[in-house]
Amino acid sequence: MSDDLLETGPIDFLVVEFPGNRMTGEGLPLLLDLEDRGIIRILDLAFIRKELDGTVVGLSMSEVDDGGLDITLFQGASSGLLDDEDVAEAASAVEPGCSAGILVYENRWAAPFAAALRRGGAQLVASGRIPINAILAALDADEASVQATTGEES
């Protein structure tokens, strides 16, 4: 394994759906800030639109409604990790009539930790994310359970 790969942080992806094809661009400055501060490194960024008939159309950067941000700042975000098969799989999670952004990024904040683990022979065998909706639902269920048990209301 090359030294560059040994020093790489975990790589994640996100698929963000924009209902009704409404992309405001509000999150893009925050994404750029994360990269500027070295927290993440954007490897790939692509946009798609899923038509009502289920057809998926790739959007060029110039077609994305950027809400005033110069979207061309992300023009070079194409490492080659994101291929047509990945885009098709991401599109399967998107509802018809919506657009989506597909982001592949390196967690640069975790690179030193990951590199130290690799040097010691460790390997990641599982990872995952807990969606915020699941956390909120669990907290609501817990609160309802406590209220039912104690007879208290919040």
Side-chain angles (χ1 to χ4, degrees), residues 77-100:
S78 181
S79 69
L81 290 174
L82 187 63
D83 63 18
D84 291 340
E85 188 176 314
D86 298 322
V87 171
E89 186 175 338
S92 70
V94 177
E95 292 293 321
C98 297
S99 297

Side-chain angles (χ1 to χ4, degrees), residues 36-101:
D36 287 347
R37 291 189 292 142
I39 295 170
I40 66 166
R41 179 171 55 129
I42 300 169
L43 300 173
D44 284 295
L45 180 61
F47 294 94
I48 60 169
R49 181 178 61 240
K50 192 169 191 178
E51 304 293 352
L52 292 174
D53 67 1
T55 305
V56 177
V57 177
L59 301 174
S60 69
M61 291 293 179
S62 62
E63 294 176 285
V64 176
D65 178 10
D66 60 20
L69 180 69
D70 183 5
I71 195 75
T72 59
L73 295 172
F74 298 100
Q75 194 71 39
S78 181
S79 69
L81 290 174
L82 187 63
D83 63 18
D84 291 340
E85 188 176 314
D86 298 322
V87 171
E89 186 175 338
S92 70
V94 177
E95 292 293 321
C98 297
S99 297

Side-chain angles (χ1 to χ4, degrees), residues 10-18 27-28 30-31 34 40-48 82 86-87 89-91 93-94 99-107 128-132:
I11 295 176
D12 287 330
F13 74 94
L14 298 173
V15 179
V16 180
E17 182 180 84
F18 300 96
L28 292 175
L30 299 169
L31 180 62
L34 290 170
I40 66 166
R41 179 171 55 129
I42 300 169
L43 300 173
D44 284 295
L45 180 61
F47 294 94
I48 60 169
L82 187 63
D86 298 322
V87 171
E89 186 175 338
V94 177
S99 297
I102 306 165
L103 174 67
V104 179
Y105 61 98
E106 174 191 1
N107 290 285
R129 291 250 157 74
I130 303 171
I132 190 67

